[in-house]
Amino acid sequence: MWASAEKLATDWQKKAEEMMALYCDGCGALKSHCKCAEIAARKAYEEKMRPVWEAERKKREHEIFVANESKRLGGLRAFEDFTAEKYTNKAVLDALKNFPDENYYLWGKAGAGKTHAAVAILRNNPDAVVVRMGQISREVRSCETPEDEESTIEKYAKAIILLDDLGSEKATEFLQNVLFEIMDRRWQNKRGGLIITANMSIDKLGGIIGDRTASRIAGLVGSKNTLELSGKDYRIGA
């Protein structure tokens, strides 16, 4: 009788162990439904891939940074090449040291390094934009309402801005009016943060953009900050 009871207890113990073996020690669910092994494998895979994913994330962030900066600074070439370290005329960079509190007019023949110097300075101003007058004119023309037009003009009247290669595009009456409005507002408000590059002096520029606009630019910049750049054309080594 006792032997039978002992065997019965042993059988139940064995059966209980077999039943317990069907359940996961971690989550208590039936092993056939348990996700612990899957979760553990996924975590191990994620841990293994984490350095790879982190490298890819940093690469994407850098690509976005380069795209945004190149657009802000006037193109990929400007982003890569137009740096203070690569600019040889350090006296020009020193002359621009009060930007954006003051305004500057850089002029000289093509390839003298005007845009390079301006962009090198603009790098320290994350809100700055690089634009040509034709772009502003087209943006204003595309406005659908007078309110939008006013908002666009006011944006450029307040912006920290490099107005690049002024005078190189045909100055229509519309463009002249838009440019005068922007410069007049900046002049009235004594606003700094403007660099203009051009291939000619302000006096000669007046024949293209209009004397009244050239007068506003001269007033904004002043003779001290009107800088003529000379030297070889670095693009062709001439």
Side-chain angles (χ1 to χ4, degrees):
M1 176 179 175
W2 290 110
S4 298
E6 184 177 344
K7 183 176 181 306
L8 184 61
T10 301
D11 290 343
W12 274 108
Q13 179 67 30
K14 183 178 180 181
K15 180 66 71 174
E17 291 174 356
E18 290 175 352
M19 290 293 294
M20 289 297 296
L22 297 176
Y23 293 87
C24 172
D25 294 333
C27 65
L30 281 170
K31 289 183 177 180
S32 58
H33 295 81
C34 173
K35 302 292 184 181
C36 287
E38 181 182 334
I39 292 171
R42 184 167 66 247
K43 285 183 177 180
Y45 175 76
E46 288 174 352
E47 195 63 30
K48 177 182 177 181
M49 295 299 296
R50 197 178 307 282
V52 177
W53 293 338
E54 181 65 14
E56 290 177 349
R57 182 186 66 79
K58 289 182 178 179
K59 181 181 178 182
R60 286 196 301 272
E61 286 180 351
H62 180 68
E63 289 171 348
I64 292 170
F65 170 77
V66 169
N68 290 338
E69 283 294 281
S70 15
K71 181 179 180 181
R72 181 177 77 84
L73 295 174
L76 185 59
R77 172 150 185 227
F79 171 74
E80 293 177 340
D81 294 341
F82 292 2
T83 65
E85 292 75 18
K86 294 182 180 180
Y87 191 65
T88 56
N89 195 339
K90 303 304 179 184
V92 172
L93 296 185
D94 186 59
L96 296 169
K97 64 184 178 182
N98 290 328
F99 186 83
D101 294 330
E102 298 181 11
N103 302 305
Y104 295 88
Y105 185 86
L106 309 182
W107 70 282
K109 69 178 184 179
K114 303 180 296 295
T115 302
H116 187 151
V119 170
I121 292 296
L122 251 66
R123 286 175 176 274
N124 299 322
N125 298 272
D127 295 328
V129 294
V130 178
V131 70
R132 292 194 175 194
M133 194 56 228
Q135 295 172 251
I136 297 177
S137 179
R138 287 189 293 274
E139 187 175 342
V140 174
R141 278 190 181 278
S142 68
C143 293
E144 297 182 354
T145 66
E147 291 76 16
D148 289 342
E149 183 175 314
E150 165 64 23
S151 176
T152 301
I153 291 174
E154 185 66 10
K155 175 180 69 174
Y156 289 110
K158 291 182 175 180
I160 296 176
I161 183 174
L162 163 58
L163 187 53
D164 194 35
D165 213 10
L166 186 60
S168 64
E169 300 167 273
K170 182 179 179 180
T172 63
E173 183 178 356
F174 180 81
L175 184 149
Q176 288 184 352
N177 290 335
V178 169
L179 182 58
F180 174 77
E181 189 67 35
I182 292 171
M183 294 303 156
D184 186 55
R185 293 186 188 192
R186 298 187 77 104
W187 177 74
Q188 289 187 39
N189 291 296
K190 297 181 173 58
R191 189 173 298 280
L194 170 68
I195 300 180
I196 296 175
T197 66
N199 292 341
M200 65 196 78
S201 67
I202 296 177
D203 289 341
K204 290 186 177 180
L205 186 67
I208 298 176
I209 64 173
D211 289 335
R212 62 175 187 160
T213 305
S215 175
R216 290 294 186 273
I217 291 174
L220 277 165
V221 175
S223 58
K224 178 175 69 77
N225 291 344
T226 300
L227 310 175
E228 181 181 4
L229 277 65
S230 58
K232 294 181 179 180
D233 187 335
Y234 72 89
R235 294 188 184 97
I236 58 176

